[in-house]
Structure formats: structure tokens, C-alpha cells
């Protein structure tokens, strides 16, 4: 799929479909990140070069890629300050970007930012903090759009819910985890390559709880 998206990007450039080409390139890097098919050090460099392309066009896509870069930075330890590079350099921090997105009601960017914060909290082992960010994303109407980050965040959310339940934080976490397990169970027959391993891991967490 990463290769297909890269091909769409190349063809889009040739026929003048700049929007489609840029969006395909963004999805290419997201799939590469979540599938682990590319080294993070390489992703960091390519993401930064791609951001320069996005900044030429004043669209919401520049926020998407800045949030993605920040997520990769949290794993590599880099401090590339992607928000400061955005249009007009009016976002010295992620918090300032969050306030702007809320004021403009840019839901897709808000969902992406909240899920990015959830993922960072998950990887840091702070599940309770992560749940707060996930639930903020969940409140937005565009939350259930079938995006790359949504599908993976649902998996990590299920793992975190079962773990939080086992730490003695209430039956509600177990029930929510079971609900996500059933969701992934429905997804699994449609794309075993993506969801089979995730379903098996979630089911193991379910039985361990």
C-alpha cells in the first residue's frame, strides 16, 4: 500500500493534481510509520522535506504533517519544532496550535492531535492520561472517519483499557476494552494482514483480565 500511495503521488504530480499528490504522499508516510516499514530516522528527514512542500499551500494539510512529525519526534527524541515552522510561525507550541484548531473548528486536525497525544501517552505508559486525550477525540463527529491513525489508536486504546482495568481502576474500563475487541473482531475478516495480529493480542489481553 505504501508503494501504491507513492505511485499515486508521482502520477498526481504529472497530471497536475497537486492536492491529490500531496495527500497521497502524506498517507504514504503514515502507512510507513504505523507499519514499521521505514526507519524513524529516515521518516524524520522525509517528513521535514515534505512539510516544506505543504507550506507552499495554505491548507489544513500543513497541520496534519506537523502533528505527524511531532509524533515521530516523541519516539526519536528529536526536537524539530514543526509547529514553529507553520504558516506565519504563529504556533510556538502544540498548545497554541490546539487553541487555534478549536477556534477554527478544524475537526480532522483536532482528532489527529488528540490521538497523537493519546499515542504518546500510551508509549510512555501513562494510560490514564492517554484515555483523557482519546475521549476528547471521541467526542468529535469526525472521530470515526476510517483513517490510519484511528484504526491503530483503537487497537492501542483496547490494550490500555484492559491494562487500566487490571490495575484496579474499575469495571467500566473492562467493558470498554471488550467493546473495542468486538470492533476489531468485525474488522479482522476484511483485512487479516492488518487486523489478525491485533485481534489476537487484544483477545489475549481480554483473557488475561
Amino acid at each position: 500500500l505504501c508503494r501504491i500511495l507513492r505511485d499515486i503521488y508521482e502520477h498526481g504530480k504529472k497530471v497536475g493534481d497537486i492536492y491529490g499528490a500531496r495527500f497521497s504522499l502524506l498517507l504514504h508516510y503514515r502507512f510507513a510509520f504505523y507499519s514499521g516499514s521505514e526507519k524513524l530516522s529516515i521518516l524524520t528527514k522525509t517528513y521535514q522535506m515534505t512539510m516544506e512542500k505543504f507550506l507552499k499551500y495554505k491548507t489544513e494539510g500543513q497541520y496534519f504533517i506537523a502533528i505527524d512529525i511531532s509524533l515521530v519526534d516523541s519516539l526519536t527524541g528529536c526536537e524539530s519544532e514543526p509547529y514553529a515552522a507553520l504558516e506565519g510561525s504563529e504556533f510556538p507550541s502544540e498548545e497554541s496550535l490546539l487553541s487555534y484548531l478549536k477556534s477554527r473548528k478544524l475537526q480532522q486536525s483536532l482528532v489527529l492531535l488528540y490521538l497523537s497525544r493519546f499515542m504518546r501517552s500510551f508509549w510512555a505508559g501513562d494510560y490514564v492520561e492517554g484515555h483523557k486525550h482519546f475521549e476528547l477525540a471521541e467526542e468529535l463527529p469526525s472521530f470515526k472517519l476510517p483513517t490510519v491513525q484511528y484504526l491503530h489508536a483503537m487497537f492501542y486504546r483496547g490494550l490500555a483499557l484492559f491494562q487500566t482495568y487490571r490495575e484496579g481502576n474499575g469495571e467500566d474500563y473492562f467493558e470498554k476494552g471488550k467493546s473495542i475487541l468486538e470492533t476489531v473482531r468485525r474488522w479482522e475478516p476484511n483485512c487479516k494482514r492488518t487486523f489478525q495480529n491485533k485481534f489476537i493480542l487484544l483477545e489475549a489481553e481480554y483473557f488475561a483480565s
Side-chain angles (χ1 to χ4, degrees):
L1 186 54
C2 285
R3 288 194 297 272
I4 292 171
L5 287 165
R6 185 77 193 199
D7 289 343
I8 293 173
Y9 164 70
E10 296 295 344
H11 288 304
K13 283 197 305 180
K14 290 177 182 177
V15 301
D17 181 9
I18 302 302
Y19 177 83
R22 285 186 290 113
F23 195 67
S24 296
L25 188 61
L26 175 60
L27 289 178
H28 164 77
Y29 291 132
R30 278 188 188 161
F31 273 104
F33 172 69
Y34 284 109
S35 67
S37 62
E38 192 64 88
K39 291 181 180 179
L40 291 178
S41 58
I42 295 175
L43 270 178
T44 297
K45 293 178 181 177
T46 51
Y47 253 134
Q48 289 171 347
M49 289 188 292
T50 304
M51 188 169 185
E52 294 175 6
K53 295 183 177 72
F54 272 73
L55 290 175
K56 294 177 182 178
Y57 308 92
K58 298 178 181 179
T59 65
E60 193 175 358
Q62 64 179 322
Y63 308 131
F64 295 166
I65 199 162
I67 294 167
D68 283 358
I69 291 173
S70 180
L71 182 60
V72 175
D73 282 356
S74 71
L75 292 174
T76 61
C78 294
E79 296 182 5
S80 56
E81 300 182 346
Y83 303 120
L86 290 171
E87 178 193 351
S89 299
E90 57 187 300
F91 307 114
S93 67
E94 186 173 275
E95 204 61 39
S96 60
L97 175 61
L98 177 61
S99 297
Y100 174 80
L101 297 177
K102 286 180 178 178
S103 68
R104 291 297 187 91
K105 298 182 180 179
L106 296 174
Q107 286 194 25
Q108 290 188 55
S109 292
L110 279 170
V111 168
L112 181 61
L113 183 50
Y114 286 136
L115 290 182
S116 178
R117 287 183 166 188
F118 162 73
M119 301 288 274
R120 294 196 307 251
S121 297
F122 176 89
W123 289 325
D126 191 346
Y127 301 136
V128 174
E129 180 67 19
H131 292 317
K132 294 176 184 176
H133 298 306
F134 189 94
E135 287 159 10
L136 286 169
E138 208 170 18
E139 291 172 0
L140 297 168
S142 60
F143 169 71
K144 288 191 176 180
L145 287 173
T147 60
V148 182
Q149 59 273 15
Y150 166 75
L151 298 174
H152 286 81
M154 284 286 283
F155 165 64
Y156 288 118
R157 164 77 159 169
L159 296 179
L161 286 166
F162 286 129
Q163 180 63 39
T164 307
Y165 167 72
R166 291 202 297 273
E167 291 172 354
N169 288 288
E171 191 75 21
D172 187 46
Y173 288 102
F174 178 76
E175 292 302 321
K176 288 180 179 178
K178 190 164 66 171
S179 176
I180 288 181
L181 173 62
E182 291 307 312
T183 298
V184 177
R185 187 194 301 275
R186 292 195 298 273
W187 291 346
E188 190 263 346
N190 298 312
C191 188
K192 289 184 178 292
R193 187 172 182 178
T194 298
F195 297 115
Q196 187 175 55
N197 60 342
K198 294 175 178 60
F199 172 68
I200 291 170
L201 285 170
L202 280 171
E203 193 172 46
E205 289 293 313
Y206 167 74
F207 287 123
S209 300

